[in-house]
Amino acid sequence: MELNMNGKPMKDPLELLDIASVLTDEEREIQATVAKFLADRVRPHIGEWFENAHFARELAPELGKLGVLGMHLEGYGCSGTNAVSYGLACLELEAADSGFRSFVSVQGSLSMFSIWKWGSEEQKQEWLPRLAAGEAIGCFGLTEPDFGSNPSGMRTRAVRDGDDWILNGSKMWITNGGIADVATVWAHTEDGIRGFLVPRGTPGFTTQDIKQKMSLRASITSELYFDNVRLPDSARLPLAEGLRGPLSCLNEARFGILFGAVGAARDSIQAAIEYADSRVQFDKPISAFQLTQKKLADMSVSLGNAALLALHLGRLKDQHRIRPEQISVGKLNNVREAIAIARECRTVLGANGISLEYSPLRHANNLESVLTYEGTSEMHTLVVGQTITGYPAFR
């Protein structure tokens, strides 16, 4: 790439390191296809949806047709792409809005993956094709009001009653919960933690959406309640035993996040570059001032580093060599960098940056949630710390 000396701003800050050159033709095509869909169907409306706390559920079948729901899974109507392609789709989804990446992550990497990995063949046949097509929506019930980082302390219980199970408890901060057709729910049993599939409409199963959010407003977040919910044994995920079941699903979702954060950061920088080129002060665009260029240079370097980390971890995942602590490194670093970038981009936009006409502050608000869910930054720091020192400081 030649040095840009033509007075025209770079449209994509990832061009700085020529990130696209290390992708395959198929990966680039998938990324471009997802980006075009979002440009047509989401970007024109996302400011209004965020302001009105609206999730466009009607797009679920379109996302299914696009092939992004459970796209990294094999069979049952899933696309079966490689991990990097899934990551690039998450990058584009979060570049539009974290709410849409969250929907796709929960649908594919939590709800569908839990069934695909730990379910019976009957459960897979019943749910996966519909979930992949966006004809049904899934959610994943692990977090509780008093147990987030310590899921082993969950209070939700499932007790045997003849051939059935009786489920009691509640879950909190559940993406898609209020619109889900099926919930994967984790509960203590006399044999340890087990997973259950709870269809909407099951007596005793109710949901309540969480209102007055300042983050992920274009997404559904809900509480789940289980009051003597009777389930047949066929609702139990037969292969899931202990915390290994839900934690494996969380690693899948975290992988999408470390790419998604790159998308939010890239979109923020793009907005800042475009604005800085058009905003004139002291008779020249503010992009011509050293302080603005320092901000854009520092942020673009951080973005490139995050993108290369995501791609490296994606290649490891495709080689079946990735380890959980490596995903923690990616989630910790990339979300931390993305939220700092989004906030700095808002300063480039000045007072205009608080308007929903521009994306950086919306991304920063959304990333406040991403920083916390699927493992807080503190927990991922301690996972990395334990890997380095051998001491589990969170126990």
Side-chain angles (χ1 to χ4, degrees):
M1 182 177 65
E2 295 182 359
L3 186 64
N4 181 6
M5 299 184 64
N6 58 12
K8 295 181 180 179
M10 183 175 285
K11 292 187 179 297
D12 183 352
L14 290 176
E15 293 176 6
L16 184 65
L17 295 180
D18 198 10
I19 299 295
S21 68
V22 300
L23 304 177
T24 67
D25 289 342
E26 182 179 8
E27 289 164 351
R28 284 192 291 268
E29 182 178 355
I30 288 172
Q31 182 177 7
T33 300
V34 175
K36 184 178 187 309
F37 171 83
L38 294 163
D40 293 341
R41 301 293 288 122
V42 175
R43 286 184 177 273
H45 314 289
I46 190 59
E48 177 185 355
W49 291 341
F50 186 92
E51 183 172 29
N52 296 328
H54 171 73
F55 174 71
R57 181 178 181 174
E58 66 274 11
L59 292 183
E62 296 185 43
L63 290 166
K65 186 177 180 180
L66 188 65
V68 298
L69 302 180
M71 63 184 289
H72 56 308
L73 305 180
E74 296 280 352
Y76 307 98
C78 302
S79 302
T81 64
N82 68 351
V84 169
S85 293
Y86 169 59
L88 293 169
C90 288
L91 186 155
E92 294 299 337
L93 285 158
E94 193 139 6
D97 190 78
S98 299
F100 280 87
R101 201 269 310 141
S102 293
F103 173 80
V104 169
S105 287
V106 169
Q107 182 88 343
S109 292
L110 294 180
S111 173
M112 293 177 67
F113 183 81
S114 66
I115 300 170
W116 184 85
K117 179 73 173 179
W118 306 113
S120 67
E121 185 60 30
E122 292 74 19
Q123 290 167 337
K124 295 175 187 178
Q125 294 287 352
E126 179 181 4
W127 289 110
L128 290 181
R130 295 167 57 199
L131 291 166
E135 296 170 1
I137 292 175
C139 70
F140 186 86
L142 179 63
T143 298
E144 296 187 359
D146 296 320
F147 294 94
S149 296
N150 179 25
S152 63
M154 69 175 72
R155 295 195 179 108
T156 299
R157 293 287 187 274
V159 178
R160 280 278 197 181
D161 184 36
D163 293 332
D164 294 340
W165 295 88
I166 305 298
L167 181 67
N168 281 283
S170 65
K171 301 294 180 179
M172 186 77 167
W173 306 113
I174 307 303
T175 299
N176 300 349
I179 57 173
D181 298 287
V182 63
T184 299
V185 180
W186 302 93
H188 271 297
T189 74
E190 61 181 9
D191 298 319
I193 292 173
R194 298 290 185 269
F196 298 85
L197 299 182
V198 185
R200 176 167 295 281
T202 303
F205 172 35
T206 58
T207 67
Q208 180 174 322
D209 291 344
I210 297 170
K211 305 293 186 181
Q212 298 181 314
K213 296 186 298 178
M214 298 179 69
S215 177
L216 289 181
R217 291 181 57 78
S219 175
I220 301 294
T221 311
S222 312
E223 298 177 70
L224 312 182
Y225 300 98
F226 310 97
D227 183 10
N228 290 320
V229 174
R230 180 174 291 274
L231 299 168
D233 190 54
S234 60
R236 180 175 54 87
L237 295 173
L239 303 180
E241 297 182 0
L243 275 177
R244 177 166 158 260
L247 293 184
S248 68
C249 303
L250 291 176
N251 274 329
E252 291 294 312
R254 289 164 183 158
F255 174 78
I257 287 172
L258 63 92
F259 273 87
V262 173
R266 185 201 68 189
D267 189 71
S268 297
I269 297 175
Q270 286 176 311
I273 291 173
E274 183 178 350
Y275 182 87
D277 186 57
S278 63
R279 176 68 168 174
V280 175
Q281 293 289 282
F282 303 102
D283 302 319
K284 63 180 180 180
I286 64 172
S287 58
F289 288 99
Q290 290 183 358
L291 286 178
T292 303
Q293 289 193 8
K294 181 182 188 307
K295 290 181 180 181
L296 295 174
D298 287 346
M299 292 188 294
S300 295
V301 169
S302 294
L303 174 70
N305 290 339
L308 290 172
L309 173 58
L311 286 169
H312 172 65
L313 294 177
R315 298 301 183 208
L316 288 180
K317 193 172 193 305
D318 279 324
Q319 296 166 14
H320 306 288
R321 294 171 52 206
I322 198 165
R323 303 193 304 271
E325 65 269 19
Q326 294 171 329
I327 295 177
S328 288
V329 170
K331 204 263 188 183
L332 174 66
N333 180 80
N334 287 9
V335 177
R336 183 168 60 192
E337 293 302 308
I339 197 169
I341 286 171
R343 290 168 176 163
E344 186 78 300
C345 286
R346 204 288 306 159
T347 72
V348 175
L349 272 62
N352 285 316
I354 72 168
S355 167
L356 277 173
E357 180 182 353
Y358 303 98
S359 65
L361 190 57
R362 172 169 55 82
H363 284 309
N365 279 15
N366 284 336
L367 287 165
E368 290 288 352
S369 293
V370 181
L371 192 70
T372 294
Y373 70 27
E374 315 293 2
T376 65
S377 57
E378 291 85 355
M379 290 303 297
H380 287 297
T381 297
L382 294 179
V383 167
V384 176
Q386 179 182 350
T387 303
I388 294 170
T389 68
Y391 294 104
F394 49 84
R395 294 172 187 251

